[in-house]
Amino acid sequence: MKREIIITSDGSSTIHIPEWNEQYHSKHGAIQEAYHVFIKHGLEYVLDKSLTSTKGEKISILEIGFGTGLNTLITLIEAEKKQVQIEYCGVEAYPISDEEVNHLNYVSELHIEEKSGVFEAIHNSSWEVKHEINEGFSLTKQKKFFKDITDSNLYDLIYFDAFGARVQPELWTEAIFSIMFKALKEGGVLVTYAAKGSVRRAMQAVGFTVTKLPGPPGKREMLRGEKVKSEK
């Protein structure tokens, strides 16, 4: 399937799939969307909940759709600022090519030229192996389909960044969200840019407590699900 690099409204790049008229990130701003959905309403929310708010503690994150590595990069940047350690796992069935990576402009658009080697390390690290990208941030990339995830009670936070339900409805079903629910620790959180009623109902059906939140630029709403701790 053909893929091409495009520039989104905030100046940052993403990958466009013409056959689907679908992008890896919002055409209204790749970086803006990533920060709004996954940092503001994901990482910062989890830290504010005091799941792992103590400096030096670790938070475990699962990304569904590793893609361009943008979410990984900004999570690493924010983890350094907040002095929190991250164990990050990115799942991707169809990794992008080295040529595509070389045309992504996140380092320059984020004005973090000193992190160019880090972004390269994120993409050059081998699959299925845990790598220490820098002190306090480990990355494991797994090449597999989301339905094949078998983790249980492992993650504090899930970035659910799959292609939209319009083009891949099979990724937004109760079956997939049941796998996500099982993978989260009690009190864990899942965030996604999606806001469709069918997605919200699928999340609720498997046990998530779901909240509608203001969406990123170009989108009215997004969803956050929580695996509420059971009463003792």
Side-chain angles (χ1 to χ4, degrees):
M1 191 175 295
K2 182 182 178 183
R3 301 188 298 212
E4 57 190 25
I5 306 291
I6 65 169
I7 300 300
T8 66
S9 295
D10 66 1
S12 58
S13 52
T14 191
I15 297 176
H16 175 68
I17 301 176
E19 185 176 330
W20 286 352
N21 190 27
E22 181 79 353
Q23 292 76 230
Y24 278 58
H25 307 284
S26 171
K27 63 185 179 181
H28 298 285
I31 288 175
Q32 287 183 141
E33 176 194 44
Y35 263 98
H36 181 89
V37 176
F38 302 112
I39 301 301
K40 179 180 179 180
H41 291 300
L43 181 61
E44 292 181 355
Y45 177 75
V46 167
L47 293 174
D48 288 345
K49 281 184 66 177
S50 298
L51 284 174
T52 52
S53 59
T54 303
K55 289 182 179 181
E57 286 199 24
K58 288 188 177 180
I59 177 172
S60 53
I61 299 176
L62 172 64
E63 181 179 14
I64 299 301
F66 176 78
T68 65
L70 172 57
N71 295 334
T72 311
L73 178 63
I74 62 173
T75 301
L76 182 148
I77 293 167
E78 294 304 310
E80 287 184 345
K81 293 178 183 177
K82 301 175 191 308
Q83 298 181 42
V84 60
Q85 296 184 53
I86 302 286
E87 290 189 348
Y88 199 101
C89 177
V91 176
E92 177 63 59
Y94 301 101
I96 68 174
S97 68
D98 291 343
E99 182 180 359
E100 288 168 322
V101 172
N102 291 336
H103 284 88
L104 297 172
N105 67 358
Y106 305 136
V107 168
S108 60
E109 287 299 309
L110 288 164
H111 307 292
I112 51 167
E113 281 71 15
E114 73 282 2
K115 289 283 192 294
S116 60
V118 170
F119 189 56
E120 291 174 7
I122 286 170
H123 280 285
N124 292 337
S125 60
S126 52
W127 293 78
E128 319 306 333
V129 178
K130 182 177 179 178
H131 295 270
E132 299 296 327
I133 301 301
N134 67 8
E135 185 178 355
F137 192 99
S138 68
L139 171 64
T140 305
K141 298 188 298 187
Q142 298 179 354
K143 186 178 177 182
K144 61 184 175 185
F145 295 109
F146 306 150
K147 65 181 179 62
D148 296 326
I149 293 170
T150 58
D151 298 321
S152 178
N153 192 37
L154 191 59
Y155 301 103
D156 299 297
L157 175 61
I158 294 177
Y159 295 165
F160 200 87
D161 200 18
F163 284 127
R166 177 181 61 84
V167 296
Q168 288 197 305
E170 70 276 11
L171 302 182
W172 302 85
T173 61
E174 288 184 26
I176 293 295
F177 284 117
S178 179
I179 293 170
M180 300 299 108
F181 192 82
K182 180 181 178 183
L184 280 173
K185 299 174 184 178
E186 280 201 347
V189 171
L190 179 151
V191 282
T192 182
Y193 64 86
K196 288 186 67 172
S198 59
V199 173
R200 175 177 50 81
R201 290 188 291 271
M203 291 172 65
Q204 291 172 327
V206 304
F208 281 105
T209 298
V210 181
T211 303
K212 288 182 181 179
L213 299 164
K219 195 165 179 57
R220 188 164 60 91
E221 294 177 326
M222 58 166 282
L223 299 175
R224 180 169 63 215
E226 300 183 58
K227 185 176 181 176
V228 177
K229 291 183 178 180
S230 59
E231 297 290 336
K232 300 295 184 183

